[in-house]
Amino acid sequence: MKLRLGFIILGIILISFAQSNKLTCSRTEQQASCKLARSGFLWSEEKELPVNKLRGAEFYSPKDDESSKVVIKTSNSEVPFSSFTSYSDENQQRAIASQINNFVTNNKQSYLQVEQNDTWWIVIGFISLAVGVYPLLKPKS
């Protein structure tokens, strides 16, 4: 019984790690703005970033005990693209930083949308939940 409970708790914890991060920028003659939307299992947040304050993005390779990350640079701060540690593919993160930099340097580009999902945490979490819950649902013989 303790092992099943452990799988259920582990599943819930793993599902809570799932997050989605999306940066959407629009540049027209009348208005230019970016919205950074981040969400997880039980939370979500949005942040507005003025396009004229964007300076680009940088990909940071993992160091000793850190994971890789993308940081959006503005004229007065640095904003992490992901709200917490992301274990996404480094090539995907490099591509996201590159797309943001291209948007910043190319004034003719009117729209940008980049997205990063760590939804595989949900899959692993549900597998763990299934392992913990299945014996409870199985009819007793």
Side-chain angles (χ1 to χ4, degrees), residues 45-141:
E45 64 182 3
E46 289 186 1
K47 185 172 196 154
E48 292 289 329
L49 302 170
V51 170
N52 62 347
K53 301 238 183 222
L54 285 180
R55 298 295 175 252
E58 191 167 336
F59 169 77
Y60 290 100
S61 295
K63 301 247 181 334
D64 296 328
D65 60 345
E66 295 178 0
S67 67
S68 57
K69 62 183 173 182
V70 174
V71 174
I72 301 167
K73 297 185 174 212
T74 67
S75 58
N76 55 354
S77 67
E78 291 186 348
V79 180
F81 179 68
S82 175
S83 57
F84 59 88
T85 301
S86 173
Y87 297 98
S88 291
D89 178 28
E90 286 185 27
N91 290 330
Q92 178 192 26
Q93 292 183 40
R94 288 180 199 277
I96 288 170
S98 177
Q99 289 174 315
I100 295 169
N101 288 329
N102 289 340
F103 180 79
V104 169
T105 58
N106 182 0
N107 289 333
K108 291 186 175 22
Q109 184 178 349
S110 61
Y111 186 76
L112 169 72
Q113 181 172 316
V114 290
E115 189 169 2
Q116 175 186 17
N117 291 310
D118 289 340
T119 52
W120 55 273
W121 285 108
I122 293 174
V123 174
I124 296 169
F126 275 117
I127 290 170
S128 180
L129 278 173
V131 169
V133 171
Y134 177 73
L136 299 174
L137 301 176
K138 191 170 85 172
K140 298 189 186 214
S141 37

